[in-house]
Amino acid sequence: MSESVFKSILVVAALFFTGFFAAIVLPPLIENPDVWGAFTAGFVNPYSSGYSMDVLVCWAILAVWVVYEAKAYSVRKGWVCLLLGIVPGVAVGLALYLLLRAKQIRVVRRDG
């Protein structure tokens, strides 16, 4: 897969998730602007709790990855991706980080 196709897929995925997130979350949040209540609503039953914990742990793993690569490879501005990992979500934060990282890190491939 070429790099431009990879980047396009990341952008489309991030935009899709952001649109879906906005369509689902914003109407009830506008009706009742209780942000903490909206967050805790993700833990209303065991199934949603499992998905919510998965998202929180994925964000924590992304945070460790961003901090590590900032020190090891000098990837800059990863903190923006962590903020976007909170709102609208980890899918957007991860996609943006991969795009940001791709521009800053050049991998030397060895054939053979």
Side-chain angles (χ1 to χ4, degrees):
M1 175 183 321
S2 73
E3 188 174 333
S4 63
V5 171
F6 174 70
K7 289 179 180 180
S8 297
I9 290 170
L10 288 174
V11 169
V12 168
L15 291 174
F16 172 78
F17 177 79
T18 302
F20 187 74
F21 179 85
I24 298 296
V25 172
L26 288 181
L29 194 58
I30 290 169
E31 186 178 313
N32 180 13
D34 177 14
V35 175
W36 182 250
F39 173 76
T40 58
F43 295 91
V44 295
N45 64 54
Y47 304 109
S48 64
S49 296
Y51 285 115
S52 296
M53 285 306 302
D54 178 58
V55 170
L56 294 174
V57 171
C58 285
W59 185 89
I61 291 168
L62 177 61
V64 170
W65 187 12
V66 167
V67 170
Y68 169 76
E69 288 198 339
K71 293 178 190 242
Y73 302 112
S74 299
V75 177
R76 296 176 315 281
K77 299 187 179 154
W79 63 271
V80 173
C81 304
L82 294 178
L83 290 178
L84 288 172
I86 297 170
V87 174
V90 178
V92 175
L94 175 60
L96 178 63
Y97 184 74
L98 292 174
L99 290 170
L100 188 77
R101 180 185 189 277
K103 286 188 174 198
Q104 295 182 37
I105 293 180
R106 294 288 173 215
V107 176
V108 178
R109 295 183 185 182
R110 296 182 193 181
D111 292 330

Short mmCIF file of all heavy atoms in Angstrom, two decimals, residues 4-58:
data_model
loop_
_atom_site.label_atom_id
_atom_site.label_comp_id
_atom_site.label_asym_id
_atom_site.label_seq_id
_atom_site.Cartn_x
_atom_site.Cartn_y
_atom_site.Cartn_z
N SER A 4 0.51 7.47 0.30
CA SER A 4 -0.61 8.40 0.11
C SER A 4 -1.95 7.70 0.33
O SER A 4 -2.88 8.30 0.87
CB SER A 4 -0.55 9.03 -1.28
OG SER A 4 -0.68 8.05 -2.28
N VAL A 5 -2.06 6.44 -0.07
CA VAL A 5 -3.29 5.68 0.18
C VAL A 5 -3.47 5.47 1.68
O VAL A 5 -4.56 5.65 2.22
CB VAL A 5 -3.26 4.32 -0.56
CG1 VAL A 5 -4.42 3.44 -0.14
CG2 VAL A 5 -3.27 4.55 -2.06
N PHE A 6 -2.39 5.12 2.37
CA PHE A 6 -2.41 4.94 3.82
C PHE A 6 -2.88 6.22 4.51
O PHE A 6 -3.76 6.19 5.37
CB PHE A 6 -1.01 4.55 4.30
CG PHE A 6 -0.86 4.49 5.78
CD1 PHE A 6 -1.47 3.50 6.52
CD2 PHE A 6 -0.09 5.43 6.44
CE1 PHE A 6 -1.33 3.43 7.90
CE2 PHE A 6 0.06 5.38 7.82
CZ PHE A 6 -0.56 4.38 8.54
N LYS A 7 -2.33 7.35 4.11
CA LYS A 7 -2.71 8.63 4.72
C LYS A 7 -4.17 8.97 4.42
O LYS A 7 -4.89 9.46 5.29
CB LYS A 7 -1.80 9.75 4.23
CG LYS A 7 -0.40 9.65 4.79
CD LYS A 7 0.49 10.74 4.26
CE LYS A 7 1.89 10.64 4.83
NZ LYS A 7 2.77 11.68 4.32
N SER A 8 -4.61 8.69 3.21
CA SER A 8 -6.00 8.96 2.85
C SER A 8 -6.97 8.11 3.69
O SER A 8 -8.00 8.60 4.12
CB SER A 8 -6.24 8.68 1.36
OG SER A 8 -5.46 9.55 0.58
N ILE A 9 -6.62 6.86 3.89
CA ILE A 9 -7.46 5.98 4.71
C ILE A 9 -7.54 6.51 6.14
O ILE A 9 -8.62 6.53 6.74
CB ILE A 9 -6.94 4.53 4.67
CG1 ILE A 9 -7.16 3.94 3.28
CG2 ILE A 9 -7.61 3.67 5.73
CD1 ILE A 9 -6.47 2.61 3.05
N LEU A 10 -6.42 6.96 6.68
CA LEU A 10 -6.42 7.51 8.03
C LEU A 10 -7.31 8.74 8.13
O LEU A 10 -8.07 8.90 9.08
CB LEU A 10 -5.00 7.85 8.48
CG LEU A 10 -4.08 6.68 8.79
CD1 LEU A 10 -2.67 7.17 9.08
CD2 LEU A 10 -4.62 5.86 9.93
N VAL A 11 -7.21 9.63 7.16
CA VAL A 11 -8.02 10.85 7.17
C VAL A 11 -9.50 10.51 7.07
O VAL A 11 -10.33 11.04 7.81
CB VAL A 11 -7.58 11.81 6.04
CG1 VAL A 11 -8.57 12.95 5.87
CG2 VAL A 11 -6.19 12.35 6.32
N VAL A 12 -9.85 9.62 6.15
CA VAL A 12 -11.25 9.23 5.99
C VAL A 12 -11.79 8.58 7.26
O VAL A 12 -12.90 8.87 7.70
CB VAL A 12 -11.42 8.29 4.77
CG1 VAL A 12 -12.79 7.64 4.74
CG2 VAL A 12 -11.17 9.06 3.48
N ALA A 13 -11.01 7.71 7.87
CA ALA A 13 -11.44 7.05 9.11
C ALA A 13 -11.65 8.07 10.22
O ALA A 13 -12.66 8.02 10.94
CB ALA A 13 -10.42 6.00 9.54
N ALA A 14 -10.73 9.01 10.36
CA ALA A 14 -10.86 10.03 11.40
C ALA A 14 -12.07 10.92 11.15
O ALA A 14 -12.83 11.23 12.08
CB ALA A 14 -9.59 10.88 11.48
N LEU A 15 -12.29 11.31 9.91
CA LEU A 15 -13.45 12.15 9.58
C LEU A 15 -14.76 11.39 9.76
O LEU A 15 -15.74 11.94 10.26
CB LEU A 15 -13.33 12.68 8.15
CG LEU A 15 -12.23 13.72 7.93
CD1 LEU A 15 -12.12 14.07 6.44
CD2 LEU A 15 -12.47 14.97 8.76
N PHE A 16 -14.78 10.12 9.37
CA PHE A 16 -15.97 9.29 9.56
C PHE A 16 -16.32 9.20 11.04
O PHE A 16 -17.47 9.41 11.44
CB PHE A 16 -15.77 7.89 8.98
CG PHE A 16 -16.88 6.94 9.32
CD1 PHE A 16 -18.08 6.99 8.63
CD2 PHE A 16 -16.73 6.01 10.34
CE1 PHE A 16 -19.12 6.13 8.95
CE2 PHE A 16 -17.76 5.15 10.67
CZ PHE A 16 -18.96 5.20 9.97
N PHE A 17 -15.33 8.88 11.86
CA PHE A 17 -15.60 8.75 13.29
C PHE A 17 -16.06 10.08 13.88
O PHE A 17 -16.99 10.12 14.67
CB PHE A 17 -14.37 8.25 14.05
CG PHE A 17 -14.63 8.19 15.53
CD1 PHE A 17 -15.33 7.13 16.07
CD2 PHE A 17 -14.22 9.21 16.36
CE1 PHE A 17 -15.61 7.09 17.43
CE2 PHE A 17 -14.48 9.18 17.72
CZ PHE A 17 -15.18 8.11 18.26
N THR A 18 -15.41 11.18 13.51
CA THR A 18 -15.79 12.49 14.03
C THR A 18 -17.22 12.83 13.67
O THR A 18 -17.99 13.31 14.51
CB THR A 18 -14.82 13.58 13.51
OG1 THR A 18 -13.49 13.23 13.90
CG2 THR A 18 -15.17 14.95 14.06
N GLY A 19 -17.62 12.58 12.43
CA GLY A 19 -19.00 12.82 12.01
C GLY A 19 -19.99 11.95 12.75
O GLY A 19 -21.03 12.43 13.22
N PHE A 20 -19.67 10.67 12.86
CA PHE A 20 -20.53 9.73 13.59
C PHE A 20 -20.65 10.14 15.06
O PHE A 20 -21.74 10.17 15.62
CB PHE A 20 -19.96 8.32 13.45
CG PHE A 20 -20.84 7.25 14.01
CD1 PHE A 20 -21.99 6.86 13.34
CD2 PHE A 20 -20.53 6.63 15.21
CE1 PHE A 20 -22.82 5.87 13.85
CE2 PHE A 20 -21.34 5.64 15.73
CZ PHE A 20 -22.49 5.25 15.06
N PHE A 21 -19.52 10.46 15.67
CA PHE A 21 -19.49 10.89 17.07
C PHE A 21 -20.36 12.13 17.26
O PHE A 21 -21.18 12.20 18.18
CB PHE A 21 -18.05 11.17 17.49
CG PHE A 21 -17.89 11.64 18.90
CD1 PHE A 21 -17.80 10.73 19.94
CD2 PHE A 21 -17.83 13.00 19.21
CE1 PHE A 21 -17.65 11.15 21.25
CE2 PHE A 21 -17.67 13.43 20.51
CZ PHE A 21 -17.59 12.50 21.53
N ALA A 22 -20.20 13.12 16.39
CA ALA A 22 -20.97 14.36 16.49
C ALA A 22 -22.46 14.10 16.33
O ALA A 22 -23.28 14.65 17.08
CB ALA A 22 -20.48 15.37 15.46
N ALA A 23 -22.83 13.26 15.38
CA ALA A 23 -24.24 12.97 15.13
C ALA A 23 -24.90 12.24 16.31
O ALA A 23 -26.07 12.48 16.62
CB ALA A 23 -24.39 12.15 13.85
N ILE A 24 -24.15 11.40 16.98
CA ILE A 24 -24.70 10.61 18.09
C ILE A 24 -24.66 11.38 19.41
O ILE A 24 -25.61 11.36 20.18
CB ILE A 24 -23.94 9.27 18.24
CG1 ILE A 24 -24.08 8.42 16.98
CG2 ILE A 24 -24.37 8.51 19.48
CD1 ILE A 24 -25.50 8.00 16.68
N VAL A 25 -23.56 12.06 19.68
CA VAL A 25 -23.32 12.64 21.01
C VAL A 25 -23.82 14.07 21.16
O VAL A 25 -24.34 14.43 22.21
CB VAL A 25 -21.82 12.54 21.36
CG1 VAL A 25 -21.49 13.29 22.63
CG2 VAL A 25 -21.40 11.09 21.48
N LEU A 26 -23.65 14.88 20.13
CA LEU A 26 -23.97 16.30 20.28
C LEU A 26 -25.44 16.61 20.56
O LEU A 26 -25.73 17.44 21.42
CB LEU A 26 -23.47 17.10 19.08
CG LEU A 26 -21.96 17.28 19.02
CD1 LEU A 26 -21.58 18.09 17.79
CD2 LEU A 26 -21.42 17.91 20.28
N PRO A 27 -26.43 16.00 19.87
CA PRO A 27 -27.82 16.35 20.18
C PRO A 27 -28.21 16.15 21.66
O PRO A 27 -28.74 17.08 22.27
CB PRO A 27 -28.64 15.45 19.24
CG PRO A 27 -27.71 15.22 18.09
CD PRO A 27 -26.33 15.13 18.70
N PRO A 28 -27.91 14.99 22.28
CA PRO A 28 -28.26 14.88 23.69
C PRO A 28 -27.42 15.79 24.59
O PRO A 28 -27.89 16.26 25.63
CB PRO A 28 -28.03 13.41 24.05
CG PRO A 28 -27.37 12.79 22.89
CD PRO A 28 -27.45 13.72 21.73
N LEU A 29 -26.18 16.06 24.18
CA LEU A 29 -25.32 16.94 24.98
C LEU A 29 -25.80 18.38 24.91
O LEU A 29 -25.71 19.12 25.90
CB LEU A 29 -23.87 16.83 24.52
CG LEU A 29 -22.81 17.41 25.45
CD1 LEU A 29 -22.87 16.75 26.83
CD2 LEU A 29 -21.43 17.24 24.85
N ILE A 30 -26.33 18.79 23.78
CA ILE A 30 -26.90 20.14 23.66
C ILE A 30 -28.17 20.24 24.51
O ILE A 30 -28.40 21.25 25.18
CB ILE A 30 -27.19 20.48 22.18
CG1 ILE A 30 -25.86 20.66 21.43
CG2 ILE A 30 -28.06 21.72 22.05
CD1 ILE A 30 -26.00 20.75 19.93
N GLU A 31 -28.96 19.19 24.50
CA GLU A 31 -30.20 19.16 25.29
C GLU A 31 -29.90 19.21 26.78
O GLU A 31 -30.59 19.87 27.55
CB GLU A 31 -31.00 17.91 24.95
CG GLU A 31 -32.35 17.84 25.60
CD GLU A 31 -33.11 16.61 25.18
OE1 GLU A 31 -33.15 16.32 23.97
OE2 GLU A 31 -33.63 15.92 26.08
N ASN A 32 -28.87 18.47 27.21
CA ASN A 32 -28.48 18.43 28.62
C ASN A 32 -26.96 18.53 28.67
O ASN A 32 -26.27 17.53 28.57
CB ASN A 32 -28.96 17.13 29.27
CG ASN A 32 -28.59 17.06 30.73
OD1 ASN A 32 -28.19 18.04 31.33
ND2 ASN A 32 -28.72 15.87 31.30
N PRO A 33 -26.42 19.75 28.86
CA PRO A 33 -24.96 19.94 28.76
C PRO A 33 -24.17 19.47 29.99
O PRO A 33 -23.26 20.13 30.45
CB PRO A 33 -24.83 21.44 28.55
CG PRO A 33 -26.04 22.03 29.16
CD PRO A 33 -27.12 21.00 29.03
N ASP A 34 -24.49 18.29 30.48
CA ASP A 34 -23.77 17.70 31.61
C ASP A 34 -22.67 16.80 31.07
O ASP A 34 -22.90 15.62 30.78
CB ASP A 34 -24.75 16.92 32.48
CG ASP A 34 -24.09 16.22 33.65
OD1 ASP A 34 -22.92 16.54 33.97
OD2 ASP A 34 -24.73 15.35 34.26
N VAL A 35 -21.46 17.35 30.92
CA VAL A 35 -20.36 16.61 30.32
C VAL A 35 -19.97 15.41 31.18
O VAL A 35 -19.74 14.31 30.66
CB VAL A 35 -19.14 17.54 30.08
CG1 VAL A 35 -17.94 16.76 29.57
CG2 VAL A 35 -19.51 18.65 29.11
N TRP A 36 -19.90 15.59 32.49
CA TRP A 36 -19.54 14.48 33.38
C TRP A 36 -20.58 13.37 33.29
O TRP A 36 -20.25 12.19 33.24
CB TRP A 36 -19.36 14.96 34.81
CG TRP A 36 -18.95 13.85 35.73
CD1 TRP A 36 -19.71 13.28 36.71
CD2 TRP A 36 -17.71 13.14 35.73
NE1 TRP A 36 -19.01 12.26 37.32
CE2 TRP A 36 -17.78 12.16 36.74
CE3 TRP A 36 -16.55 13.25 34.98
CZ2 TRP A 36 -16.73 11.30 37.02
CZ3 TRP A 36 -15.51 12.37 35.26
CH2 TRP A 36 -15.60 11.42 36.26
N GLY A 37 -21.85 13.75 33.25
CA GLY A 37 -22.93 12.77 33.12
C GLY A 37 -22.84 12.02 31.79
O GLY A 37 -23.07 10.82 31.73
N ALA A 38 -22.48 12.74 30.74
CA ALA A 38 -22.32 12.11 29.43
C ALA A 38 -21.17 11.10 29.47
O ALA A 38 -21.28 10.00 28.93
CB ALA A 38 -22.06 13.17 28.36
N PHE A 39 -20.07 11.47 30.12
CA PHE A 39 -18.94 10.55 30.24
C PHE A 39 -19.32 9.30 31.03
O PHE A 39 -19.06 8.18 30.61
CB PHE A 39 -17.76 11.26 30.92
CG PHE A 39 -16.62 10.34 31.24
CD1 PHE A 39 -15.77 9.91 30.24
CD2 PHE A 39 -16.41 9.89 32.53
CE1 PHE A 39 -14.72 9.05 30.53
CE2 PHE A 39 -15.36 9.04 32.83
CZ PHE A 39 -14.52 8.61 31.82
N THR A 40 -19.95 9.49 32.18
CA THR A 40 -20.30 8.34 33.02
C THR A 40 -21.41 7.49 32.42
O THR A 40 -21.56 6.33 32.81
CB THR A 40 -20.68 8.78 34.44
OG1 THR A 40 -21.78 9.69 34.38
CG2 THR A 40 -19.51 9.44 35.15
N ALA A 41 -22.17 8.02 31.47
CA ALA A 41 -23.21 7.22 30.81
C ALA A 41 -22.60 6.06 30.03
O ALA A 41 -23.29 5.09 29.73
CB ALA A 41 -24.05 8.10 29.90
N GLY A 42 -21.32 6.16 29.72
CA GLY A 42 -20.66 5.06 29.04
C GLY A 42 -20.45 3.84 29.93
O GLY A 42 -20.02 2.79 29.46
N PHE A 43 -20.78 3.97 31.20
CA PHE A 43 -20.58 2.88 32.16
C PHE A 43 -21.91 2.40 32.75
O PHE A 43 -21.96 1.97 33.89
CB PHE A 43 -19.65 3.34 33.29
CG PHE A 43 -18.27 3.65 32.81
CD1 PHE A 43 -17.92 4.94 32.41
CD2 PHE A 43 -17.30 2.66 32.73
CE1 PHE A 43 -16.65 5.23 31.96
CE2 PHE A 43 -16.03 2.94 32.27
CZ PHE A 43 -15.70 4.23 31.89
N VAL A 44 -22.99 2.46 31.98
CA VAL A 44 -24.31 2.15 32.53
C VAL A 44 -24.58 0.66 32.66
O VAL A 44 -25.48 0.26 33.40
CB VAL A 44 -25.44 2.82 31.71
CG1 VAL A 44 -25.35 4.32 31.81
CG2 VAL A 44 -25.43 2.36 30.27
N ASN A 45 -23.87 -0.17 31.94
CA ASN A 45 -24.06 -1.62 32.06
C ASN A 45 -22.72 -2.31 31.80
O ASN A 45 -21.76 -1.67 31.36
CB ASN A 45 -25.17 -2.11 31.11
CG ASN A 45 -24.81 -1.93 29.66
OD1 ASN A 45 -23.77 -2.37 29.20
ND2 ASN A 45 -25.70 -1.26 28.91
N PRO A 46 -22.63 -3.59 32.08
CA PRO A 46 -21.33 -4.27 31.92
C PRO A 46 -20.76 -4.22 30.50
O PRO A 46 -19.55 -4.13 30.32
CB PRO A 46 -21.62 -5.72 32.32
CG PRO A 46 -22.85 -5.67 33.13
CD PRO A 46 -23.63 -4.48 32.65
N TYR A 47 -21.62 -4.23 29.49
CA TYR A 47 -21.14 -4.23 28.11
C TYR A 47 -20.57 -2.86 27.74
O TYR A 47 -19.47 -2.78 27.19
CB TYR A 47 -22.27 -4.62 27.15
CG TYR A 47 -22.87 -5.95 27.51
CD1 TYR A 47 -24.14 -6.03 28.05
CD2 TYR A 47 -22.14 -7.12 27.33
CE1 TYR A 47 -24.68 -7.26 28.40
CE2 TYR A 47 -22.67 -8.34 27.68
CZ TYR A 47 -23.95 -8.41 28.22
OH TYR A 47 -24.47 -9.61 28.56
N SER A 48 -21.31 -1.82 28.05
CA SER A 48 -20.79 -0.48 27.74
C SER A 48 -19.58 -0.17 28.61
O SER A 48 -18.66 0.52 28.17
CB SER A 48 -21.87 0.58 27.91
OG SER A 48 -22.29 0.66 29.26
N SER A 49 -19.55 -0.70 29.82
CA SER A 49 -18.39 -0.50 30.68
C SER A 49 -17.14 -1.13 30.08
O SER A 49 -16.05 -0.55 30.13
CB SER A 49 -18.63 -1.09 32.07
OG SER A 49 -19.69 -0.41 32.71
N GLY A 50 -17.30 -2.31 29.50
CA GLY A 50 -16.17 -2.98 28.85
C GLY A 50 -15.64 -2.17 27.68
O GLY A 50 -14.43 -1.98 27.54
N TYR A 51 -16.55 -1.66 26.84
CA TYR A 51 -16.12 -0.84 25.71
C TYR A 51 -15.50 0.47 26.19
O TYR A 51 -14.50 0.93 25.63
CB TYR A 51 -17.29 -0.55 24.77
CG TYR A 51 -17.67 -1.75 23.93
CD1 TYR A 51 -18.90 -2.37 24.08
CD2 TYR A 51 -16.78 -2.26 22.98
CE1 TYR A 51 -19.24 -3.46 23.30
CE2 TYR A 51 -17.12 -3.35 22.21
CZ TYR A 51 -18.35 -3.95 22.38
OH TYR A 51 -18.69 -5.03 21.63
N SER A 52 -16.08 1.06 27.21
CA SER A 52 -15.54 2.32 27.73
C SER A 52 -14.14 2.12 28.31
O SER A 52 -13.25 2.95 28.10
CB SER A 52 -16.47 2.90 28.79
OG SER A 52 -17.71 3.24 28.21
N MET A 53 -13.94 1.03 29.04
CA MET A 53 -12.61 0.76 29.59
C MET A 53 -11.61 0.50 28.48
O MET A 53 -10.45 0.90 28.57
CB MET A 53 -12.65 -0.42 30.57
CG MET A 53 -13.26 -0.07 31.90
SD MET A 53 -12.48 1.35 32.73
CE MET A 53 -10.80 0.82 32.85
N ASP A 54 -12.05 -0.18 27.42
CA ASP A 54 -11.17 -0.42 26.29
C ASP A 54 -10.70 0.91 25.69
O ASP A 54 -9.52 1.08 25.41
CB ASP A 54 -11.90 -1.24 25.22
CG ASP A 54 -11.04 -1.49 24.00
OD1 ASP A 54 -9.94 -2.06 24.15
OD2 ASP A 54 -11.45 -1.09 22.90
N VAL A 55 -11.60 1.84 25.53
CA VAL A 55 -11.25 3.15 24.97
C VAL A 55 -10.28 3.89 25.90
O VAL A 55 -9.29 4.47 25.45
CB VAL A 55 -12.52 3.99 24.74
CG1 VAL A 55 -12.17 5.43 24.40
CG2 VAL A 55 -13.36 3.37 23.63
N LEU A 56 -10.54 3.86 27.19
CA LEU A 56 -9.66 4.55 28.15
C LEU A 56 -8.26 3.94 28.16
O LEU A 56 -7.26 4.66 28.18
CB LEU A 56 -10.27 4.52 29.55
CG LEU A 56 -11.57 5.30 29.72
CD1 LEU A 56 -12.15 5.07 31.11
CD2 LEU A 56 -11.37 6.77 29.44
N VAL A 57 -8.18 2.62 28.11
CA VAL A 57 -6.87 1.96 28.09
C VAL A 57 -6.16 2.22 26.76
O VAL A 57 -4.95 2.44 26.74
CB VAL A 57 -7.02 0.45 28.38
CG1 VAL A 57 -5.71 -0.29 28.16
CG2 VAL A 57 -7.50 0.24 29.81
N CYS A 58 -6.90 2.22 25.66
CA CYS A 58 -6.28 2.55 24.36
C CYS A 58 -5.71 3.96 24.38
O CYS A 58 -4.63 4.21 23.84
CB CYS A 58 -7.29 2.40 23.22
SG CYS A 58 -7.62 0.68 22.80
#
